[in-house]
Amino acid sequence: MAKLFEKINFGQLQLQNKIVIAPMCQYSALEGEVSYWHEQQWANYALSGAGLCIVEATAVQDIGRISYADLGLWNDIQRAKIKALLAKVKSLSPMPFGVQLAHAGRKASCHKPWDGGGQIAPDQALGWQTVSASELAFAEHDHPPHALTTDEIQQVIQDFATAARRAVDAGFDLIEVHAAHGYLLHQFMSPLSNQRTDAYGGSLENRIRLTLEVFQAIQAAVPEGYPIGVRISASDWMGEQGWDVQSSIGLSTALEQLGAVYIHVSSAGLHREQQIDVKPNYQVGFAAQIKQQVNIPVITVGLITQAQQAEQILQQEQADAIGLARAILYEPRWPWHAAAELGAQIAIAPQYLRCQPHGLKNLFHSF
């Protein structure tokens, strides 16, 4: 069997294949609440044939949203609406759904990408005061963030934990902690954005402290054994100045010791001057280096668009699972086509069984 279509376990959660739909912001929420857009989008994901869907970055505080149109889990109304939607989606498919809990930090208070994406000043409509590890803005003309006090850091940690309880109650099967792409947890980890001199700044041990404390607070808030993974940026793509793969290995081994069920390896997003060598598999090497140092699954992502490409990554043991984002937005039945190309079987909704090509009669089977 193709490795891409083998089962894999993230802790106690078993996936039917190694295709993971990675979180992708949709900028379609109102007051942090799911909309009809999410209803059709999540239903589409559920019928895709992937092993797992992790829904978009979902803010644990209202000021933690990237934009005013982001999802949230900072109140019970948001939880109730997500719970109702997940119940509908899970009536379509047994595929597990996870949620990525996030705080955007200094990269918050922005316009939607198709409206320019730039930061909205706190004195303008739809804008607010951002926060970070230090008073260093992301972009030259951004309003500087407020450097979180120790008490405010503790509130952030508590809000991650409270959002995690809501996520469990809403029906999510897994939580992913967003510690990547230049958002708040990443801002604390990179020396390019963290100039603190207290227990949350300076050494690597201090700079990763917030991420580890957030993980532990979530772990304490959810049922024992509930799966929690972490997404990281393996590199700032800023040479020796910033966060790098060796730092990521240190963070990943610490997370493994705490009980993380996987490490989801992306990169970049922290600094405007990042120099990224974008090409197919451009982040796979980071995942491979981390995989050599941990015993939990490693997910890789980034310009992986072809079935044979994904299969080769797994065959060469560079990663344990494949994250798809834009590729599955473009082709929501990507797993079906991959199964056909690799000669594997895939489970789909029985309503779709009649659509399998005559030459592939053994490809599809029902849930």
Side-chain angles (χ1 to χ4, degrees), residues 21-246:
I21 300 175
M24 290 171 280
C25 291
Q26 298 298 297
Y27 306 101
S28 299
L30 180 63
E31 299 297 329
E33 299 166 16
V34 289
S35 66
Y36 180 66
W37 178 264
H38 297 98
E39 185 164 343
Q40 64 82 29
Q41 187 76 4
W42 294 11
N44 217 11
Y45 291 153
L47 295 170
S48 69
L52 169 69
C53 173
I54 307 171
V55 302
E56 65 192 88
T58 301
V60 302
Q61 294 181 338
D62 58 349
I63 65 166
R65 292 172 290 174
I66 302 167
S67 82
Y68 58 87
D70 284 14
L71 276 187
L73 262 176
W74 69 82
N75 68 45
D76 290 341
I77 295 174
Q78 294 158 349
R79 178 204 58 196
K81 291 192 174 183
I82 288 175
K83 187 172 186 174
L85 177 50
L86 276 179
K88 288 183 180 180
V89 169
K90 291 190 174 189
S91 74
L92 302 177
S93 163
M95 185 179 75
F97 269 69
V99 62
Q100 186 185 67
L101 296 183
H103 194 301
R106 70 181 187 177
K107 292 179 72 176
S109 187
C110 291
H111 290 286
K112 299 176 184 179
W114 50 86
D115 291 331
Q119 190 181 79
I120 305 171
D123 60 351
Q124 295 180 2
L126 303 176
W128 58 85
Q129 174 63 54
T130 63
V131 299
S132 188
S134 301
E135 293 180 1
L136 299 172
F138 175 65
E140 182 180 358
H141 299 295
D142 285 355
H143 188 85
H146 162 68
L148 289 167
T149 66
T150 302
D151 287 345
E152 289 166 343
I153 289 172
Q154 295 307 308
Q155 186 62 56
V156 169
I157 294 169
Q158 181 57 52
D159 288 343
F160 266 98
T162 303
R165 281 192 288 270
R166 291 191 178 105
V168 173
D169 182 69
F172 286 111
D173 302 287
L174 172 147
I175 287 170
E176 178 173 280
V177 179
H178 197 357
H181 300 162
Y183 298 122
L184 183 64
L185 300 186
H186 188 180
Q187 290 161 29
F188 270 79
M189 291 192 288
S190 175
L192 293 174
S193 47
N194 184 344
Q195 295 183 352
R196 302 177 73 95
T197 57
D198 63 2
Y200 292 93
S203 67
L204 175 65
E205 179 184 8
N206 283 356
R207 285 183 282 113
I208 68 174
R209 187 184 306 277
L210 177 56
T211 298
L212 300 186
E213 290 182 349
V214 163
F215 182 91
Q216 290 173 298
I218 290 174
Q219 195 174 47
V222 301
E224 184 176 359
Y226 184 91
I228 310 166
V230 182
R231 193 174 206 191
I232 67 170
S233 278
S235 171
D236 288 340
W237 292 91
M238 290 291 291
E240 297 179 357
Q241 304 175 64
W243 181 262
D244 58 17
V245 70
Q246 290 304 315

